[in-house]
Amino acid sequence: MTYKKLKRIDLIFHEDCECHKVLEKTFSKSNDEIINDLLESGLKGRGGAGFPTGLKWKFTAEQPSDERFVICNADEGEPGTFKDREILFKVPDKVFSGMAVCAKVIGAKKGYIYLRGEYRFLLPELRKALDKFHNDIKDLIDFEILIQMGSGAYICGEESALFESMEGKRGEPRNKPPYPTVAGFRNKPTVINNVETLVYAFMICMHGPMKFKELGTSDSRGSKVFSVSGDTPIPGIYELELGMALDQFVEEFGDGDTKAVQVGGAAGFCVPRKKLKETIIGFEGVPTGGSMKVFNSSRSMYNVLHNYLEFFEEESCGQCTPCRVGCQQLIKGIEAVKKGEKKAVYLEQLLKLSETMKLASKCGLGQSVANSFSSIVGNFREEMIY
Amino acid sequence: MANINIKIDGVEVEIEEGKTILDAARAINVHIPTLCYHEDLCVAGNCRVCMVEVKGARALVASCAMPASDGMEIQTNSLKVRSARKNVIELLLSEHNADCTNCYKNKKCELQDLASEYKTSGEAVYLDLVPLKNYTIDDFSPSIIKDDSKCIRCQRCVRTCEELQHVSALGVAYKGDKMKISTFFENPMYDVVCTNCGQCINRCPTGSLIERNYVDEVWDAIYDENKHVVVQTAPATRVALGEDLGMEPGKVVTGKMVSALKRLGFDSVLDTDFSADLTIMEEGTELLTRLKKALVDKDPTVKLPMATSCSPGWIKFIEHTFPEYLDNLSTCKSPQQMFGALAKTYYAQKKKINPANIVSVSIMPCVAKKFEADRPEMRDSGYKDVDYVLTTRELARMIKQGGLDFGALPEERYDSIMGESTGAAVIFGATGGVMEAALRTAYEIVTGREVPFENLNITPVRGMDGVKEVSVKIEGTVPEWSFLEGVELKTVTAHGLTNAKYVMERVKSGEGAYHFIEVMGCPGGCIGGGGQPIPTNMEIRKKRTEAIYMEDSGKPLRKSHENPEVIAIYKEFLGEPLSHKSHELLHTHYKARQRY
């Protein structure tokens, strides 16, 4: 595997961006050219799942319909992620501009920002910025962005649950297919992108695909914004090139006593110290939506896992069996093993259960519980029992 | 649509594009178990029991929700599938109060069936979560009991209530481990917009939603020597009861049912069909009277269109949702309640029995009838007009408890009086039946001639279309009704409350200008009622409907006004339709209820 050296990047938060000029330049291009630039850049979705952004826009644009939507997923709920908040706070214009480019490409008249319930405090400033933005672009495109507040449910960050929530229904994931590019919000073709993805799409319009493509690895192009937290002397938001090895990250951000890093939040993987060197941060290794949580040796991994499971037990929408009941069984199960009410071999049954959840759950939430469960139980088995 | 080819367990299947993997598997008799799936409802894909493995797919897919695509290769029984499915069933069981032997749905439970197929170890794989939950039982309703501890959250009931009935009394509340099926503000079912139609019961795979059963109370009445127990049987019961006793759907079992009831010890086995004929006399006359008031007297207070009032689910729906149209309802009580009021008056007098000693039982395809019998409006005989309402399912249970070999029973006739009926009454059990019966009689009253349809079969009002608009032109009237000459009588027939709501909204907006509306609260009418044998689906409902029309066409009398017992009761007791006595016993008014 090829590792990149840890490198700080300054694209997203860089201040000398005249959005209107970039938009003018971009709007002079054809839709195909814009899509090709995106495809060429290799940009993949920054929410964690990593679907090529150019393809998503292309599919939506090609889907016959009288109406299409672009939605910015700002329901940043993954434990340990707070980078979208920073982006929306510092460079909202770039987010709006990314949406406007998408709107041009797919032919959307309306865009929505689905804002995490806990980020309501951003609303006044966002509204102000949005009014100005609408005014600035009115000569360029007939496009309006509306803000829809979430109400604090983690599951509503799942794209189809987000649509349900926006439609005024209970936030429960839908069956797929159909995918959002075919039938999304109000069953119309919809591009739904993470905040950061939209900004990178706009950055690619600004700088051209090559500047982005030069960064990262063949599977993980470009840079990414990381939210660093936990046992680190320098917690915060960092834009880093993709493809670094995790040990370099720990060297930079750890406190010298790092025991494990949780990459990708509760839905991500726990990488123990002994595997830091061989773990690459990117789609070919361990992908992340941005959350990097560092644990030092004072932390009980049982408590860490218990905390994550408590989170999932509560935040599952409760719709499908593997996720709803599986989460309850996992947490009650490790409690029973810890207390000695169940033998240690019961952990094997629980690992099988997490595998079933991965295979059988309806959406990404239930499917990814196994990530943290199996990586923590697998690497810190002793801590689960004694 | 084009056809596509897929492979299921190595077998090539050709299937229409757009069909699901489950459809394809069923087409070649490959059994994939399901729980949340129901033919009548939209696909949920939430139980995850029907998962299969699709070659090339990372995760398993729910076969009920996944459209088959050309070239797909599917395994329905691979190691991955089996182990995941077993795990899912174990998970469901760990959240489920598996007190099977005490459960009303014992041996009629889809979860139990799956457990019996998949459980081999003899012990629970996972921890019992039931003691950790604060499960509650809502047994305040006279019709429906909801036991959360048996619920597997498949949401069939929620979809039924929303899609088929547009009532949405049931919904999903909370999330994660606390997710449950509940009502507005978690009020008891008794206190929300629930119409008691019982369609949720028909589709609940477990014992979470059941009818309040009165089997023991009825046995007690039968064993009480001081009580004279009369029983009436609704039209739709005779074409469905057999299903719960080992027979195929669509079998007419009228004679055997009568015979069974006599053997169980009921003192007199009578027929709701008698009071259905009576309803036609009252309701038909009421319709003609309203038309006269509107057309001749130009009375602005007369309410048209007039709507039928036989279906208690529909009545409660109107009370909650369209209370401004309460006066458009026919004032007639339902046939069950007409029968009840007469059982303790007319019947008691004729048989010289103290009405205080009469216990009046009805066998109904309906759960809402239990609520209806409990209404304060339904005590005009001076007593509770109908004491106990049993569903078709409860009767089947009594027949089993009574040790009767139903299939071998002889066919017997209803007792007299109030046991005689016509074909017009039988068809009350199917959507369009009341309309057809009313037209057969009203047209003849007005013109002196039979309705102009071959063999009296008014086929345009029959069938499973949700809303059927039919106009009948009245020509050649007798002098008394000459003001109706040339009038086009506009009717509409709807079944299932979603369709009823559609009709009422058309009435409200003025798009639907009707004279007469027939609504049955349940899909297909009473044959698809909430008290009928489980399972239900379109095919079964169609078979029951065919049986109803077969019973009608085989009857010597097919018009309500020809029923000799109906003629007799007017002569001896009631006088004439809409007489003072009729109003006292057979008519009523309903009150508005809250929307929430």
Side-chain angles (χ1 to χ4, degrees):
Chain A
M1 249 193 251
T2 48
Y3 297 98
K4 289 292 225 177
K5 271 212 146 98
L6 183 138
K7 188 169 144 201
R8 299 200 188 193
I9 305 292
D10 187 17
L11 268 175
I12 282 201
F13 296 106
H14 198 75
E15 276 175 11
D16 68 338
C17 169
E18 289 180 65
C19 289
H20 190 267
K21 272 198 180 150
V22 180
L23 282 175
E24 264 180 2
K25 190 185 89 183
T26 309
F27 278 39
S28 68
K29 290 185 176 180
S30 75
N31 293 339
D32 284 348
E33 280 177 281
I34 297 172
I35 286 176
N36 283 337
D37 280 354
L38 282 180
L39 290 172
E40 177 62 27
S41 74
L43 173 62
K44 289 181 180 174
R46 291 310 195 230
F51 190 80
T53 307
L55 279 183
K56 198 181 258 189
W57 291 21
K58 187 169 185 273
F59 292 158
T60 308
E62 286 169 357
Q63 187 65 33
S65 177
D66 57 342
E67 202 177 12
R68 297 183 188 81
F69 296 106
V70 50
I71 292 175
C72 168
N73 186 347
D75 192 40
E76 183 179 41
E78 194 58 51
T81 327
F82 38 89
K83 45 105 187 165
D84 291 342
R85 180 182 72 192
E86 191 82 349
I87 296 172
L88 285 166
F89 184 65
K90 287 199 170 144
V91 288
D93 276 1
K94 292 186 183 175
V95 181
F96 306 152
S97 300
M99 291 176 76
V101 175
C102 179
K104 168 190 154 49
V105 170
I106 65 169
K109 296 253 184 303
K110 271 200 173 130
Y112 294 87
I113 297 173
Y114 186 91
L115 189 64
R116 183 183 184 200
E118 289 86 340
Y119 290 175
R120 187 175 280 277
F121 67 91
L122 290 173
L123 213 45
E125 287 300 315
L126 273 180
R127 288 242 163 88
K128 236 187 267 170
L130 205 46
D131 286 344
K132 188 174 169 300
F133 181 77
H134 281 142
N135 197 42
D136 287 350
I137 60 158
K138 63 174 184 252
D139 55 324
L140 285 175
I141 183 173
D142 170 21
F143 176 58
E144 187 192 9
I145 295 173
L146 298 152
I147 300 174
Q148 168 85 51
M149 287 307 300
S151 296
Y154 172 72
I155 189 58
C156 290
E158 197 281 340
E159 53 192 20
S160 62
L162 186 149
F163 300 145
E164 292 286 300
S165 165
M166 280 185 59
E167 290 172 10
K169 298 179 221 150
R170 187 180 155 82
E172 284 183 350
R174 299 175 180 168
N175 289 304
K176 292 177 199 171
Y179 292 96
T181 53
V182 174
F185 178 50
R186 294 188 190 142
N187 282 326
K188 302 287 181 184
T190 305
V191 164
I192 175 161
N193 278 142
N194 175 260
V195 174
E196 186 187 337
T197 313
L198 288 162
V199 177
Y200 273 120
F202 184 62
M203 293 292 97
I204 289 160
C205 295
M206 180 174 172
H207 301 293
M210 290 322 289
K211 181 157 181 178
F212 187 83
K213 197 180 174 180
E214 281 165 10
L215 299 171
T217 64
S218 59
D219 285 326
S220 311
R221 297 286 182 201
S223 50
K224 157 125 208 47
V225 186
F226 290 87
S227 314
V228 182
S229 66
D231 296 316
T232 165
I234 45 168
I237 310 281
Y238 299 90
E239 189 174 4
L240 304 171
E241 186 175 0
L242 280 173
M244 67 194 152
L246 195 50
D247 65 334
Q248 288 187 8
F249 175 88
V250 167
E251 211 165 284
E252 180 87 6
F253 295 100
D255 62 356
D257 180 26
T258 299
K259 172 180 179 178
V261 183
Q262 181 76 17
V263 182
F269 294 85
C270 182
V271 183
R273 179 173 194 82
K274 61 177 187 247
K275 290 180 186 162
L276 294 177
K277 229 184 177 66
E278 64 198 62
T279 302
I280 191 167
I281 300 302
F283 296 109
E284 63 271 64
V286 182
T288 169
S291 171
M292 302 293 276
K293 203 165 217 165
V294 189
F295 298 114
N296 69 17
S297 63
S298 73
R299 306 292 166 185
S300 150
M301 295 315 286
Y302 172 84
N303 286 349
V304 168
L305 178 60
H306 193 272
N307 186 285
Y308 286 154
L309 291 174
E310 260 182 343
F311 173 79
F312 282 127
E313 185 189 35
E314 188 179 327
E315 292 297 342
S316 161
C317 77
Q319 177 190 188
C320 81
T321 313
C323 181
R324 179 188 68 248
V325 196
C327 289
Q328 297 172 60
Q329 287 295 352
L330 291 181
I331 189 163
K332 304 289 183 293
I334 62 164
E335 284 171 359
V337 169
K338 193 74 169 176
K339 284 188 215 147
E341 290 163 7
K342 281 272 183 189
K343 287 184 182 154
V345 291
Y346 189 58
L347 289 175
E348 263 59 55
Q349 184 63 46
L350 296 179
L351 284 166
K352 270 192 212 159
L353 170 57
S354 74
E355 188 56 28
T356 289
M357 292 169 71
K358 189 173 202 153
L359 287 172
S361 293
K362 187 167 176 175
C363 81
L365 193 162
Q367 289 169 5
S368 57
V369 174
N371 297 346
S372 48
F373 187 83
S374 60
S375 59
I376 294 177
V377 171
N379 290 309
F380 301 95
R381 193 184 154 87
E382 196 179 80
E383 287 188 49
M384 300 301 121
I385 302 165
Y386 304 105
Chain B
M1 274 240 183
N3 278 6
I4 53 168
N5 290 292
I6 63 171
K7 240 185 206 178
I8 297 180
D9 298 335
V11 180
E12 292 268 2
V13 196
E14 192 182 335
I15 190 154
E16 212 177 294
E17 197 177 343
K19 295 276 184 190
T20 63
I21 295 174
L22 183 65
D23 295 330
R26 290 192 170 176
I28 57 164
N29 295 320
V30 169
H31 173 67
I32 299 175
T34 55
L35 273 177
C36 69
Y37 177 82
H38 195 284
E39 286 103 321
D40 290 336
L41 306 172
C42 80
V43 166
N46 61 27
C47 75
R48 313 310 281 181
V49 165
C50 74
M51 289 167 305
V52 295
E53 192 173 345
V54 175
K55 197 174 171 184
R58 186 176 47 85
L60 300 173
V61 304
S63 60
C64 69
M66 179 60 81
S69 61
D70 202 30
M72 230 178 206
E73 287 183 41
I74 293 142
Q75 294 283 325
T76 69
N77 204 17
S78 66
L79 174 64
K80 248 189 199 175
V81 171
R82 279 192 62 76
S83 113
R85 188 175 289 154
K86 259 187 93 124
N87 255 335
V88 166
I89 293 165
E90 288 289 351
L91 290 176
L92 286 170
L93 290 170
S94 76
E95 226 186 9
H96 175 82
N97 172 15
D99 188 12
C100 294
T101 49
N102 285 318
C103 181
Y104 187 62
K105 288 286 284 292
N106 192 16
K107 292 184 80 181
K108 290 174 185 290
C109 168
E110 293 176 41
L111 182 63
Q112 195 183 39
D113 290 347
L114 275 180
S116 77
E117 272 178 45
Y118 280 84
K119 279 209 73 95
T120 47
S121 67
E123 57 185 43
V125 173
Y126 296 111
L127 299 165
D128 183 8
L129 300 174
V130 178
L132 307 172
K133 309 239 171 195
N134 288 319
Y135 283 132
T136 51
I137 298 181
D138 171 4
D139 59 358
F140 293 99
S141 159
S143 289
I144 300 175
I145 295 173
K146 174 170 166 285
D147 179 352
D148 289 346
S149 74
K150 311 261 175 76
C151 175
I152 58 165
R153 285 94 166 153
C154 66
Q155 301 189 33
R156 277 195 200 169
C157 56
V158 175
R159 285 174 282 149
T160 300
C161 204
E162 182 180 329
E163 293 166 23
L164 301 183
Q165 303 295 64
H166 255 289
V167 170
S168 289
L170 292 170
V172 180
Y174 306 106
K175 62 181 166 45
D177 56 327
K178 296 185 180 59
M179 183 269 211
K180 65 191 276 196
I181 309 304
S182 193
T183 53
F184 185 69
F185 272 110
E186 297 204 63
N187 287 333
M189 297 275 277
Y190 183 69
D191 219 9
V192 293
V193 291
C194 172
T195 65
N196 301 302
C197 73
Q199 289 300 315
C200 53
I201 297 176
N202 280 3
R203 289 171 186 79
C204 179
T206 67
S208 188
L209 286 159
I210 57 169
E211 69 265 35
R212 175 180 290 281
N213 83 78
Y214 295 94
V215 170
D216 290 339
E217 286 83 348
V218 171
W219 278 122
D220 286 347
I222 288 173
Y223 290 130
D224 187 338
E225 282 173 11
N226 297 318
K227 299 289 183 196
H228 180 84
V229 187
V230 298
V231 61
Q232 54 166 320
T233 63
T237 55
R238 66 205 69 198
V239 296
L241 176 65
E243 290 167 37
D244 257 359
L245 296 161
M247 294 177 177
E248 286 297 307
K251 194 112 170 97
V252 181
V253 295
T254 318
K256 287 184 190 297
M257 176 169 71
V258 172
S259 162
L261 288 164
K262 289 183 176 174
R263 280 165 172 72
L264 291 177
F266 288 96
D267 295 301
S268 192
V269 180
L270 305 174
D271 203 352
T272 316
D273 286 15
F274 161 78
S275 49
D277 279 332
L278 196 61
T279 301
I280 289 300
M281 298 307 292
E282 295 289 326
E283 200 165 297
T285 311
E286 186 185 1
L287 175 65
L288 292 172
T289 308
R290 287 199 196 198
L291 286 172
K292 181 166 183 286
K293 279 186 187 161
L295 297 172
V296 180
D297 309 340
K298 310 281 182 209
D299 178 354
T301 61
V302 68
K303 297 284 185 192
L304 282 173
M306 188 180 94
T308 59
S309 55
C310 307
S311 165
W314 157 240
I315 299 288
K316 191 148 183 276
F317 182 73
I318 273 248
E319 288 179 326
H320 286 292
T321 316
F322 294 98
E324 66 273 32
Y325 286 96
L326 275 171
D327 288 339
N328 290 64
L329 283 177
S330 160
T331 58
C332 288
K333 290 180 184 171
S334 71
Q336 163 178 282
Q337 292 306 139
M338 285 196 182
F339 190 102
L342 293 173
K344 295 190 182 180
T345 53
Y346 174 63
Y347 177 89
Q349 281 173 29
K350 293 275 282 186
K351 299 277 176 181
K352 300 190 172 58
I353 302 168
N354 179 358
N357 290 332
I358 292 182
V359 174
S360 160
V361 177
S362 67
I363 312 295
M364 291 285 143
C366 186
V367 192
K369 289 279 174 201
K370 293 173 187 272
F371 172 84
E372 185 186 42
D374 266 15
R375 275 179 180 270
E377 296 95 334
M378 301 302 171
R379 296 172 161 269
D380 290 330
S381 65
Y383 305 89
K384 194 179 173 202
D385 293 340
V386 174
D387 292 290
Y388 302 113
V389 178
L390 302 182
T391 59
T392 314
R393 295 188 291 264
E394 287 168 81
L395 174 59
R397 192 169 290 238
M398 283 187 78
I399 290 170
K400 285 182 198 162
Q401 289 176 359
L404 302 178
D405 180 355
F406 190 69
L409 290 176
E411 313 239 331
E412 290 185 40
R413 288 180 59 82
Y414 284 100
D415 292 323
S416 172
I417 50 175
M418 293 167 57
E420 190 64 65
S421 70
T422 71
V426 173
I427 57 175
F428 265 58
T431 168
V434 177
M435 181 62 69
E436 182 166 349
L439 288 175
R440 283 184 195 171
T441 289
Y443 193 91
E444 202 163 318
I445 290 176
V446 172
T447 66
R449 286 173 288 115
E450 288 191 338
V451 280
F453 289 90
E454 199 183 341
N455 294 329
L456 299 173
N457 295 334
I458 309 178
T459 47
V461 301
R462 299 182 180 183
M464 290 299 176
D465 288 346
V467 177
K468 291 162 283 190
E469 292 183 339
V470 175
S471 296
V472 179
K473 190 150 190 187
I474 301 174
E475 283 168 322
T477 48
V478 296
E480 198 188 342
W481 297 98
S482 60
F483 62 89
L484 286 173
E485 183 64 37
V487 167
E488 187 140 304
L489 187 70
K490 289 191 175 134
T491 75
V492 63
T493 302
H495 59 113
L497 294 172
T498 297
N499 294 319
K501 192 174 182 186
Y502 170 80
V503 165
M504 289 313 290
E505 268 159 8
R506 276 174 64 80
V507 168
K508 212 168 176 174
S509 71
E511 287 166 88
Y514 310 112
H515 297 112
F516 190 35
I517 301 173
E518 183 211 285
V519 174
M520 292 297 151
C522 291
C526 306
I527 51 99
Q532 293 283 58
I534 300 169
T536 181
N537 58 38
M538 185 58 95
E539 201 185 325
I540 291 173
R541 293 193 291 275
K542 279 184 176 162
K543 284 190 176 152
R544 291 175 189 164
T545 305
E546 280 165 25
I548 281 266
Y549 288 115
M550 205 160 65
E551 179 90 337
D552 166 36
S553 59
K555 285 263 190 183
L557 298 175
R558 302 190 48 219
K559 292 175 284 191
S560 297
H561 55 276
E562 290 177 349
N563 182 332
E565 286 192 346
V566 168
I567 296 168
I569 196 175
Y570 279 116
K571 208 165 140 195
E572 296 167 11
F573 187 71
L574 293 169
E576 58 183 8
L578 304 187
S579 68
H580 180 70
K581 192 131 203 169
S582 288
H583 269 294
E584 207 174 71
L585 291 174
L586 309 182
H587 292 255
T588 189
H589 288 279
Y590 298 104
K591 286 191 217 67
R593 291 174 194 263
Q594 286 184 329
R595 183 64 189 94
Y596 297 101

